[in-house]
Amino acid sequence: MLKVKDLQKKFGNLRALDGVSIEVEADSVVGLIGPNGSGKSTLFNVVSGFYEKDGGEVYFKGERIDGLTPDAIAKKGLCRTFQIAKAPERLTVLENMLLAAEGQVAENPISALFARRRIARVERKNLEKAMDLLEILKLTELMNEYAGDLSGGQKKLLSLGRVFMRNPDMILLDEPTAGVNPTLTTQLIKVIRELQKKEHKSVLIIEHSMKVISSICDKVFVLNYGQVIAEGTPEEIQKNDKVLEAYLGGV
């Protein structure tokens, strides 16, 4: 689904990514861990088109995407969330979900005039999907609340729901449980796995918590100083001496 080959990114004399190569298979959840400053978010930003690379290649579904803009990459089916969840605060939870839906026929002025039946059909479908997702996210009771009034954890749930409304083939999740209380963290993990299995999506997730990684990931890559120092199952990673020295020992 995703193949990153010898990716390089520099900021002045700092090599944030120094020949990173990873692969994510279809219908899988892959974790990306490492100390602060190891290059995790930089990798996400390059893959999703927010940063320009200095070298290497990125392939999505067999097509090279490095050099494309973030919106072009999203339209190809590769979407992401951010560490700080943001949504239009004066729109309700339900309005935010509907705003993110794919295939908004009514955005085309001609369609708005001459394809009203089709528009109604699409809007009903989007509403049904939004309500289904809100139920899974446990946000149904908050559907008429403004997004700006949600807690940090609830905003991350909404961010996750908005991404799934886009119906991408792959999702990059940037620290989805950071700053979230333990109860909501458990809920987030359950929701991510449930949605991934239900819709057969590929997920690449940045996390600091090995508990989260172990409970949700099929495979894990470990970054340190912009390089991949280990890869394997969560169980293998927790026993890896390089990982223990570079990352887990300081947690």
Side-chain angles (χ1 to χ4, degrees):
M1 183 61 71
L2 178 70
K3 183 176 181 179
V4 175
K5 185 178 179 181
D6 193 29
L7 203 58
Q8 300 175 44
K9 177 64 181 177
K10 294 190 296 184
F11 297 101
N13 293 324
L14 174 66
R15 288 185 176 272
L17 299 175
D18 190 10
V20 171
S21 296
I22 68 170
E23 292 188 14
V24 178
E25 300 293 334
D27 197 9
S28 68
V29 180
V30 175
L32 188 64
I33 68 171
N36 289 331
S38 61
K40 303 183 300 297
S41 291
T42 300
L43 177 61
F44 265 32
N45 285 328
V46 174
V47 168
S48 58
F50 286 87
Y51 288 171
E52 292 185 4
K53 66 179 177 62
D54 292 316
E57 303 167 356
V58 181
Y59 295 88
F60 180 59
K61 296 188 292 186
E63 178 183 356
R64 192 165 173 180
I65 62 169
D66 49 282
L68 297 181
T69 59
D71 61 308
I73 292 173
K75 287 177 181 177
K76 289 185 178 295
L78 177 58
C79 295
R80 65 167 295 179
T81 65
F82 295 84
Q83 290 182 25
I84 301 176
K86 293 184 178 180
E89 295 191 348
R90 299 310 296 171
L91 292 182
T92 67
V93 168
L94 180 57
E95 287 169 341
N96 264 283
M97 294 289 285
L98 295 174
L99 181 66
E102 65 169 347
Q104 301 275 9
V105 181
E107 290 180 353
N108 186 317
I110 296 177
S111 296
L113 289 173
F114 301 108
R116 294 184 180 179
R117 288 185 179 178
R118 184 184 173 201
I119 290 171
R121 220 169 29 244
V122 171
E123 288 183 345
R124 280 197 302 272
K125 182 180 177 181
N126 288 339
L127 180 59
E128 289 173 2
K129 181 171 184 177
M131 294 305 295
D132 286 344
L133 285 169
L134 288 176
E135 184 175 352
I136 294 172
L137 296 164
K138 308 299 183 187
L139 292 177
T140 305
E141 294 183 359
L142 300 173
M143 59 186 253
N144 294 317
E145 298 291 330
Y146 288 123
D149 294 334
L150 300 180
S151 69
Q154 291 167 341
K155 286 179 180 178
K156 292 208 170 188
L157 284 167
L158 176 57
S159 178
L160 187 63
R162 281 162 51 89
V163 169
F164 273 92
M165 282 296 293
R166 289 294 306 168
N167 196 31
D169 296 306
M170 182 171 179
I171 301 170
L172 309 180
L173 299 178
D174 194 349
E175 298 192 31
T177 68
V180 179
N181 68 55
T183 300
L184 272 179
T185 293
T186 300
Q187 184 178 337
L188 267 166
I189 294 169
K190 182 179 178 181
V191 165
I192 291 169
R193 204 47 159 159
E194 183 176 348
L195 288 173
Q196 186 271 329
K197 285 183 175 294
K198 179 181 178 181
E199 303 200 14
H200 302 285
K201 306 300 184 185
S202 298
V203 177
L204 180 61
I205 176 172
I206 291 177
E207 256 301 335
H208 280 289
S209 169
M210 274 305 301
K211 182 178 179 181
V212 172
I213 288 293
S214 298
S215 64
I216 197 173
C217 293
D218 305 304
K219 184 177 182 180
V220 183
F221 288 92
V222 185
L223 290 183
N224 196 27
Y225 295 113
Q227 297 180 332
V228 175
I229 62 169
E231 64 178 275
T233 65
E235 294 77 15
E236 291 170 340
I237 291 301
Q238 292 183 71
K239 298 175 183 176
N240 186 291
D241 290 338
K242 289 183 178 180
V243 177
L244 292 171
E245 181 181 352
Y247 177 63
L248 297 179
V251 175

